[in-house]
Amino acid sequence: MYGQLLGSTVPSTRATLILAEVHVWRSRWLRVKREGGIFPSSVEETAKECDRHLYPYVSSLLDIFISLPVSVTSAERSFSTLSKLKSWLRAQMGQTRLSGLALLNVHRDIDISIDRVID
């Protein structure tokens, strides 16, 4: 899916190169751990630590990882609740009100006085 972002090499060759580069990258951080070094605390910090010339694929993968959206369950729940509420409101709305709202939407350019009451 992200192949175009990772370069123009043949997919099978690219996969081999990526795996080899990730192995070297992992070895580097294992060595840092053994020597008591400091690990980055976020993906952004990790991306800053990555030498783009030495680890081009890992750098690209980190950039992709940084840009991926995070799914938040509470946001998904609110969308679910909103769709249920909209369905309930539509079910409670009479035909006259629905037609009136549709006309208001179609004829947006007409000014409407809210003080005027129609019987």
Side-chain angles (χ1 to χ4, degrees):
M1 184 166 154
Y2 297 102
Q4 292 177 347
L5 297 174
L6 297 174
S8 60
T9 58
V10 177
S12 61
T13 305
R14 182 174 44 223
T16 304
L17 291 171
I18 291 171
L19 288 174
E21 193 173 301
V22 167
H23 179 70
V24 173
W25 176 255
R26 183 175 180 272
S27 297
R28 173 184 183 245
W29 287 107
L30 289 173
R31 186 176 61 253
V32 167
K33 182 179 179 181
R34 261 194 321 270
E35 295 170 357
I38 299 172
F39 275 50
S41 61
S42 68
V43 179
E44 292 87 1
E45 288 180 18
T46 305
K48 287 178 186 174
E49 291 288 325
C50 183
D51 183 352
R52 291 191 178 279
H53 301 292
L54 192 57
Y55 305 105
Y57 289 117
V58 170
S59 177
S60 295
L61 290 171
L62 287 169
D63 289 342
I64 291 168
F65 185 62
I66 288 170
S67 67
L68 289 175
V70 177
S71 176
V72 179
T73 308
S74 60
E76 292 176 16
R77 271 195 305 263
S78 68
F79 288 129
S80 174
T81 303
L82 181 61
S83 67
K84 289 177 187 175
L85 178 62
K86 284 176 68 177
S87 297
W88 179 83
L89 286 172
R90 274 194 296 262
Q92 301 301 315
M93 190 180 313
Q95 185 61 41
T96 305
R97 185 172 183 189
L98 182 61
S99 297
L101 288 173
L103 286 170
L104 283 173
N105 188 38
V106 170
H107 300 289
R108 292 181 187 180
D109 55 331
I110 299 174
D111 291 331
I112 298 173
S113 172
I114 58 171
D115 296 330
R116 184 174 159 209
V117 178
I118 300 175
D119 293 322

